[in-house]
Amino acid sequence: MIVRIAEIQVDPANLEEYLERARTIGAESVSEEPGVIAIFPMQDKRNQGKIRILEIYEDEAAYQAHLQTPHFLTYKISTLSMVEKLDLVDMNPLDEAAMPLIFKKLAERK
């Protein structure tokens, strides 16, 4: 499993346009790609130009496949000039066994 947090600093002049594009990439990826477990974009309340995206992939092959999808490539190319800084931080889950329970609980609330 790959767990990553993308830390993004967006140019304030392009923030609204960036947010429009970032709002849909996660849901589209999860619904269309079986190896994408979660892509959850978030905006820092203290600094709205700071975006964090939690990404969870089944494995390296799923991540590599995600990078080649038309919806990801459209997002990446269309936001490239809006991003001032990007840092991909690989994470180790502390309780990987609890992850399915968290997502199940969220699904049951809907």
Side-chain angles (χ1 to χ4, degrees):
M1 183 176 300
I2 294 176
V3 178
R4 172 174 294 137
I5 296 178
E7 298 181 344
I8 303 165
Q9 182 64 48
V10 178
D11 174 13
N14 295 303
L15 183 58
E16 288 308 313
E17 185 178 356
Y18 176 87
L19 292 175
E20 284 180 33
R21 297 170 195 278
R23 282 186 181 104
T24 60
I25 187 68
E28 193 170 358
S29 297
V30 171
S31 68
E32 293 183 16
E33 301 174 60
V36 176
I37 297 168
I39 294 183
F40 190 66
M42 299 165 282
Q43 183 179 31
D44 188 324
K45 288 184 176 183
R46 295 175 295 179
N47 177 346
Q48 294 188 349
K50 286 186 179 181
I51 307 299
R52 303 294 180 266
I53 304 175
L54 171 63
E55 304 176 32
I56 305 174
Y57 303 94
E58 187 175 314
D59 53 26
E60 181 67 25
Y63 173 65
Q64 293 301 324
H66 169 69
L67 296 179
Q68 301 306 314
T69 61
H71 53 268
F72 174 77
L73 291 171
T74 298
Y75 159 79
K76 185 68 174 177
I77 291 166
S78 68
T79 61
L80 196 57
S81 65
M82 302 175 196
V83 173
E84 294 178 337
K85 183 180 178 188
L86 169 63
D87 190 15
L88 301 176
V89 182
D90 290 323
M91 306 295 289
N92 288 320
L94 296 180
D95 187 2
E96 193 170 318
M99 291 172 70
L101 300 173
I102 294 166
F103 293 118
K104 180 180 180 204
K105 189 171 187 177
L106 285 173
E108 290 172 349
R109 295 176 103 177
K110 297 215 176 234

